[in-house]
Amino acid sequence: MITFFIREIREKKGLSQDELAKLSGISASHIGYIENGERQPTLLVMCKLADALKVSIDELYEYHK
């Protein structure tokens, strides 16, 4: 299973799941499932999240604190 760093990046930017949902067009519940490792996001979802977080898709996979 691939580990994503969406939660870490989102929290570093001071965003709630609801705020990220509004910015990305992805539901907050879906974001929660991804952050908890319960769902694997599609490439389209990853692109929307990366755009909303203003990071590259690579950073969602290889985040360095």
Side-chain angles (χ1 to χ4, degrees):
M1 178 180 202
I2 298 172
T3 301
F4 300 102
F5 297 98
I6 297 164
R7 175 180 286 139
E8 289 87 347
I9 296 170
R10 175 181 60 75
E11 288 176 348
K12 182 178 179 185
K13 293 182 177 277
L15 296 171
S16 68
Q17 286 182 348
D18 287 331
E19 291 168 325
L20 180 56
K22 288 176 186 169
L23 291 171
S24 66
I26 307 299
S27 72
S29 61
H30 191 70
I31 292 169
Y33 288 130
I34 294 168
E35 288 184 350
N36 291 324
E38 297 173 32
R39 291 195 185 152
Q40 293 292 310
T42 64
L43 182 57
L44 177 60
V45 168
M46 292 299 288
C47 288
K48 288 181 177 184
L49 291 172
D51 187 50
L53 290 167
K54 296 183 171 79
V55 298
S56 70
I57 291 178
D58 290 343
E59 288 177 84
L60 295 180
Y61 291 100
E62 301 177 6
Y63 177 68
H64 302 283
K65 295 180 182 182

